[in-house]
Amino acid sequence: MAEEHVPADLWFDPLCPWAWMTSRWLLEVEKVRPVQPRWHVMSLAVLNEDKDVPEDYRKLLKEEAWWGVRVAIAAEQRLGNEVLGPFYTALGTRFHTRGESRGLETIAAALADSGLPADLIEAAESTDYDEALRESHHDGMDRVGQEVGTPVISVEGVSFFGPVVSPAPKGEAAGKLWDGVLLVAATDGFFELKRSRTRDPIFD
């Protein structure tokens, strides 16, 4: 009898390179542990809209940060949650692995890469899906509190920010990290384990 796969929900903003690293790790975990990733959208623009951030980041949050997440949530609303994984992979590959611009042309290309309707790009500059976007965002963030960002992972009632890792472990190394993260996160009263980052995201 096949082992039952446990859903592992991950909230991402496609702009975040660290969420991208974690998402690629989770796909590696899926190969070696009975885990089924499920993808959800959060928004750095929503997370930081009332916070004091540097002016250049504020400009990003007012423009580019809305485009990808709006298109992602529109795709999910129209076609179902299962389209988010392929779209995120297509978009993240262009944003992070290839270093392409975070503009509308790149998002439109990612829609084509993942076989999604081209007219979904219209959601990028529309507020029609913002309520659904905020609901998805708060569904993830309310599980871990407001002091963190993306990614958030939730599995079997245990939720946590991260892990922040570079490069993304592969094979059994990915599985061992998963085992350790779950062990720590599920410990009653455990809240934080952190050290300074000494390298940038290392993309494959």
Side-chain angles (χ1 to χ4, degrees):
M1 184 176 179
E3 191 171 6
E4 182 179 357
H5 281 59
V6 175
D9 295 285
L10 184 147
W11 279 260
F12 67 91
D13 185 312
L15 286 186
C16 179
W18 295 105
W20 174 250
M21 298 299 296
T22 303
S23 73
R24 300 310 94 180
W25 162 71
L26 187 56
L27 290 176
E28 286 292 315
V29 173
E30 183 183 18
K31 300 174 184 177
V32 294
R33 296 292 186 272
V35 171
Q36 178 62 57
R38 292 191 305 200
W39 311 100
H40 308 276
V41 184
M42 64 85 67
S43 169
L44 291 171
V46 173
L47 181 70
N48 291 286
E49 60 187 350
D50 297 322
K51 296 181 180 177
D52 184 18
V53 297
E55 185 56 35
D56 56 343
Y57 191 50
R58 173 68 59 196
K59 182 178 179 181
L60 170 72
L61 295 176
K62 288 181 178 179
E63 299 174 355
E64 296 176 359
W66 286 101
W67 297 340
V69 291
R70 281 173 169 166
V71 172
I73 208 73
E76 181 183 31
Q77 291 284 300
R78 187 192 299 185
L79 300 167
N81 177 262
E82 63 273 9
V83 306
L84 276 184
F87 178 60
Y88 181 33
T89 290
L91 193 55
T93 297
R94 288 182 174 273
F95 280 174
H96 305 299
T97 308
R98 300 181 188 174
E100 297 181 15
S101 77
R102 294 171 294 200
L104 298 180
E105 289 186 1
T106 301
I107 299 171
L111 286 171
D113 292 343
S114 50
L116 295 177
D119 67 338
L120 284 168
I121 194 63
E122 297 172 7
E125 298 182 293
S126 168
T127 60
D128 289 351
Y129 294 93
D130 285 6
E131 183 178 352
L133 172 60
R134 289 177 182 276
E135 288 179 1
S136 180
H137 171 88
H138 288 296
D139 183 26
M141 298 308 300
D142 289 351
R143 300 168 190 245
V144 292
Q146 300 302 310
E147 295 84 15
V148 299
T150 179
V152 167
I153 292 177
S154 185
V155 55
E156 295 191 308
V158 175
S159 303
F160 50 89
F161 163 73
V164 176
V165 61
S166 176
K170 293 180 172 57
E172 184 57 22
K176 288 181 178 179
L177 177 57
W178 177 256
D179 298 340
V181 167
L182 288 190
L183 177 63
V184 169
T187 299
D188 182 48
F190 179 86
F191 297 109
E192 188 170 352
L193 177 69
K194 188 174 183 178
R195 57 188 175 187
S196 297
R197 293 195 295 261
T198 58
R199 65 180 66 154
D200 293 329
I202 299 173
F203 305 121
D204 291 334

